[in-house]
Amino acid sequence: SRQPDPVNLGRVALDVPLSLRGRSWDDFVAYVDPIDGTKQYCLGNFYAVSVLIGVTFRGRPTIGVIHEPWYDAGDGGTLGRTTWDVVGCTSNPFPPAPRIVPAV
């Protein structure tokens, strides 16, 4: 079976808001759910699995990342897709889902 490529956010240029520049790492807390959808993963329903990352700054949500490693756009390309948002800065929303037309 096809395996997803690892996510490399190093390729992504994020503009860090001025309010966060030069802050102490002690002000940030990261929360990671490496397998959101554990039951679905165990059942083999990989499409329903995601990786969640959240970062707070002084207790306030600041950065959010969702990665769906087995998302398949159906175009034969690379598996996986990632979306993120940095409060007050930049985001990369998922593209709209393709319209599914029921079979007649």
Side-chain angles (χ1 to χ4, degrees):
S1 79
R2 292 178 18 192
Q3 294 297 313
D5 289 339
V7 176
N8 181 358
L9 290 180
R11 297 179 293 184
V12 177
L14 297 176
D15 292 324
V16 177
L18 290 175
S19 62
L20 297 178
R21 293 183 189 178
R23 302 297 179 164
S24 167
W25 284 109
D26 294 337
D27 291 331
F28 294 91
V29 176
Y31 301 86
V32 179
D33 185 349
I35 303 180
D36 182 56
T38 306
K39 180 177 180 180
Q40 295 303 317
Y41 180 85
C42 292
L43 294 173
N45 299 326
F46 301 129
Y47 65 89
V49 174
S50 59
V51 177
L52 306 177
I53 302 170
V55 178
T56 61
F57 173 71
R58 295 184 179 166
R60 299 190 67 180
T62 305
I63 300 170
V65 179
I66 301 170
H67 178 62
E68 296 175 330
W70 282 278
Y71 175 82
D72 186 351
D75 59 3
T78 304
L79 289 177
R81 68 179 180 171
T82 304
T83 185
W84 70 87
D85 187 55
V86 179
V87 173
C89 187
T90 185
S91 65
N92 176 47
F94 284 141
R99 183 168 175 247
I100 298 173
V101 179
V104 181

